[in-house]
Amino acid sequence: MKYTIVLIIILFPVLTKAQSNQDSLTNSKDFLYKDSLVKKVLMDLRETWTLGIDSTSDAVDLRMYNKFKSLFDSSASVDDEFNAFYRYGFDKATHTIKGNYIINTESKPYDVYAHDVALQIRKLTVDSVTYSMSFSPDSNTAVITLKRIVKADKIRQYVLDSGYVSALLHSRDEIILKDKKKDSILNDKLVSAIKKSKDSVYHFESQDSLRITMFYESSSNDDDATYKIQSIKRLNDSITCTNDADKDAILGVDDDSSTQAGDFTAKGLPDYDLDGVPDKGVADKKDACKYIYGDDLNHGCPMVGYFASNNQLEGFIGLQLNSAKINLPELNQLGYKDESGNDAMDVLQSQKGVLKNPGTVAGLTIGGSFSYFFGNTKRKTGISIGISYSKFSADYQLTSPVVYTFKSSDGIDFYRRQITIDSLKENINYSVFNLPVMLNYRMHLDTKNKSSITLKAGPSLMLLSAKSDYNTYISF
């Protein structure tokens, strides 16, 4: 009896060790089996996590799309690492845009996630994958921490959400707009500018850190046992848009400035009042009314009560009606004097005569002026310099003879001398140069700026030249 007890005591450690080795072997086989299942799911996930989205086109492979969804448990959720959008920000102190691209990593049911990605994402590629895994066969849970680099394209309608326009307009509360429908006008203008390139493609790149949790799903048939993904959590939320360097939501191909954030209305240049004229730009494309919604034809200022340009050039050519009347002198105004200084005219023996004037004569006129109006907004007051030239010809004819009779002396005796203009026909060519320097004031006559009037006042230098060609008969 003692021998038996001793023998049992001696053999017990051996039996215990054998049992322990058997359990260890079983656990090892179970570990390797489940490890292979986990790695198979992980391999299938890596094969299908583009959801069949082609890396070079917009095509989607439905076979891959469905295989991806089959890896998940019916209650699984996924953090949407592709749900990138633009969040608008504005610093009122410096009047600079502080927008950025962020990811809304809200968890979605796996099938909703798959649908959204397939709908919104184009040309999806995944590179540089590394992972570490830990799981316990006893708990049937596997947790994989994975890192990868993802590149994906999204069109504008999925990047700029409905809050973008409202946030932008709310930040510009200093805009002056006379129309009561201010928000509506600005909203429509901004939406229109965005829609001009609604299919613009944003290129995103992110370095993802993901935590994938799987649970073992047993089956009476070992071949059907597998792991199902229960959740995919994103551990970081950084993302970069590679074709928008200044982070203003305007892509580089449409952006006139890749170093300064701007607005859609001015092709990526700052445009605080959203009227299409940049706040800073070249001389002829700079907003002179930065806080007033204006017109690009008027340097960003309203057209009502304003004029579009500082400079005004005018020219004209046409016919001008002229009247150049010549009168014969009165007989007592000829200036004939005797030696005593008395009037020597014999009025009774003289005749004034009659000269026929041509009346109103048409002639050519041509000219122009340059005006400069002061200021950057209304431009109502200015100065101008001009030149005009007119020319016409007039014919004059004597219809009644002229007789001048006056007292004269030969040094000894006095006698009467008489000069008679029997006939006269004269043609005179007139040329008139006018050089005016004027102060100008202009104003609109209606609220729609379809008509205006300019008032001018100032000195003018006028030069008159007359050349005569005549035929006359005079007797003495």
Side-chain angles (χ1 to χ4, degrees):
M1 183 65 179
K2 290 182 180 180
Y3 172 78
T4 302
I5 293 173
V6 171
L7 183 62
I8 291 175
I9 293 173
I10 293 173
L11 292 177
F12 181 77
V14 177
L15 294 173
T16 302
K17 182 177 181 181
Q19 182 64 40
S20 175
N21 288 338
Q22 181 63 36
D23 292 342
S24 177
L25 181 61
T26 301
N27 289 338
S28 177
K29 288 181 178 180
D30 190 43
F31 178 86
L32 293 175
Y33 171 67
K34 291 184 176 180
D35 179 69
S36 67
L37 293 179
V38 171
K39 289 181 178 178
K40 182 180 183 306
V41 174
L42 187 59
M43 182 177 65
D44 290 342
L45 178 63
R46 292 183 59 178
E47 179 187 0
T48 62
W49 57 22
T50 63
L51 287 91
I53 300 173
D54 191 89
S55 61
T56 59
S57 70
D58 298 337
V60 177
D61 185 342
L62 290 178
R63 183 182 61 85
M64 286 290 185
Y65 176 81
N66 291 327
K67 185 176 180 180
F68 174 83
K69 295 203 300 181
S70 69
L71 302 177
F72 291 82
D73 182 74
S74 60
S75 62
S77 63
V78 181
D79 285 359
D80 192 347
E81 74 270 35
F82 300 110
N83 193 15
F85 67 96
Y86 183 77
R87 175 172 288 175
Y88 180 82
F90 190 80
D91 187 343
K92 289 189 176 182
T94 60
H95 278 201
T96 54
I97 294 172
K98 300 292 185 181
N100 207 351
Y101 294 93
I102 63 173
I103 299 177
N104 183 357
T105 55
E106 62 176 341
S107 293
K108 297 180 178 179
Y110 76 97
D111 53 344
V112 175
Y113 162 83
H115 171 270
D116 290 348
V117 173
L119 176 66
Q120 300 179 16
I121 299 300
R122 299 178 178 180
K123 299 179 183 179
L124 176 61
T125 59
V126 181
D127 297 315
S128 306
V129 181
T130 61
Y131 71 93
S132 61
M133 179 173 63
S134 65
F135 79 97
S136 169
D138 295 336
S139 65
N140 294 324
T141 302
V143 179
I144 298 95
T145 301
L146 182 145
K147 294 182 179 181
R148 63 181 185 175
I149 296 176
V150 178
K151 297 178 182 179
D153 290 353
K154 293 184 75 172
I155 62 175
R156 176 161 290 157
Q157 71 179 93
Y158 297 120
V159 177
L160 300 183
D161 60 13
S162 58
Y164 169 76
V165 173
S166 60
L168 190 153
L169 292 178
H170 181 70
S171 71
R172 311 294 174 90
D173 53 7
E174 294 180 5
I175 298 177
I176 300 173
L177 185 62
K178 294 182 179 179
D179 198 298
K180 294 180 180 179
K181 298 179 180 179
K182 167 184 172 181
D183 291 340
S184 176
I185 291 176
L186 296 179
N187 182 86
D188 292 346
K189 186 178 183 69
L190 188 58
V191 170
S192 176
I194 294 173
K195 285 184 176 180
K196 283 182 179 179
S197 51
K198 63 180 180 180
D199 293 331
S200 295
V201 178
Y202 293 73
H203 304 314
F204 289 107
E205 182 175 326
S206 64
Q207 295 184 359
D208 293 344
S209 293
L210 305 177
R211 184 173 66 242
I212 304 171
T213 304
M214 303 181 190
F215 287 100
Y216 179 67
E217 189 176 90
S218 61
S219 175
S220 58
N221 184 354
D222 290 343
D223 292 338
D224 294 334
T226 185
Y227 273 82
K228 290 288 187 178
I229 300 175
Q230 289 292 317
S231 67
I232 298 180
K233 295 291 184 182
R234 200 169 194 270
L235 304 179
N236 66 315
D237 58 0
S238 63
I239 194 167
T240 302
C241 182
T242 59
N243 59 339
D244 180 18
D246 53 9
K247 300 179 181 179
D248 57 4
I250 298 111
L251 300 181
V253 67
D254 301 319
D255 199 336
D256 283 352
S257 174
S258 59
T259 58
Q260 184 179 21
D263 297 285
F264 277 99
T265 50
K267 297 185 67 176
L269 295 173
D271 179 21
Y272 185 85
D273 54 13
L274 305 175
D275 58 5
V277 184
D279 299 336
K280 297 179 180 179
V282 294
D284 61 340
K285 291 296 289 184
K286 181 179 179 181
D287 201 331
C289 301
K290 181 178 178 181
Y291 302 104
I292 304 174
Y293 183 88
D295 195 296
D296 58 354
L297 295 177
N298 194 27
H299 302 282
C301 294
M303 294 298 286
V304 177
Y306 292 66
F307 287 86
S309 174
N310 292 92
N311 305 317
Q312 181 173 301
L313 185 63
E314 299 174 322
F316 62 89
I317 183 171
L319 294 177
Q320 178 175 290
L321 297 178
N322 306 277
S323 178
K325 186 177 181 181
I326 297 178
N327 294 318
L328 296 173
E330 297 294 333
L331 295 177
N332 60 354
Q333 295 177 347
L334 292 175
Y336 291 107
K337 305 291 183 180
D338 59 16
E339 293 178 350
S340 301
N342 298 317
D343 189 0
M345 283 296 301
D346 186 346
V347 176
L348 297 177
Q349 299 295 322
S350 299
Q351 183 177 317
K352 180 180 178 181
V354 177
L355 182 67
K356 181 182 179 181
N357 283 282
T360 302
V361 179
L364 176 69
T365 182
I366 186 172
S369 66
F370 172 78
S371 303
Y372 179 80
F373 292 88
F374 307 109
N376 293 322
T377 55
K378 294 186 177 181
R379 307 179 188 89
K380 291 185 175 183
T381 304
I383 189 171
S384 67
I385 184 171
I387 183 172
S388 65
Y389 169 74
S390 60
K391 181 179 180 179
F392 67 98
S393 177
D395 292 323
Y396 302 87
Q397 187 171 0
L398 197 65
T399 59
S400 178
V402 176
V403 179
Y404 294 142
T405 304
F406 55 92
K407 180 181 178 181
S408 186
S409 173
D410 59 6
I412 299 175
D413 299 315
F414 289 97
Y415 66 95
R416 283 187 170 87
R417 175 171 289 182
Q418 191 172 68
I419 300 175
T420 303
I421 303 176
D422 297 297
S423 65
L424 170 65
K425 186 175 183 180
E426 184 173 11
N427 175 263
I428 301 178
N429 293 305
Y430 295 93
S431 295
V432 182
F433 289 90
N434 186 24
L435 303 171
V437 178
M438 301 286 185
L439 291 175
N440 294 258
Y441 182 80
R442 58 184 177 178
M443 66 187 77
H444 288 291
L445 298 178
D446 62 330
T447 58
K448 294 184 179 180
N449 302 331
K450 292 184 177 181
S451 59
S452 64
I453 186 173
T454 301
L455 305 177
K456 297 185 177 185
S460 175
L461 174 64
M462 184 174 289
L463 304 176
L464 173 64
S465 172
K467 294 182 179 181
S468 175
D469 182 14
Y470 58 88
N471 184 14
T472 185
Y473 181 80
I474 304 175
S475 60
F476 297 86

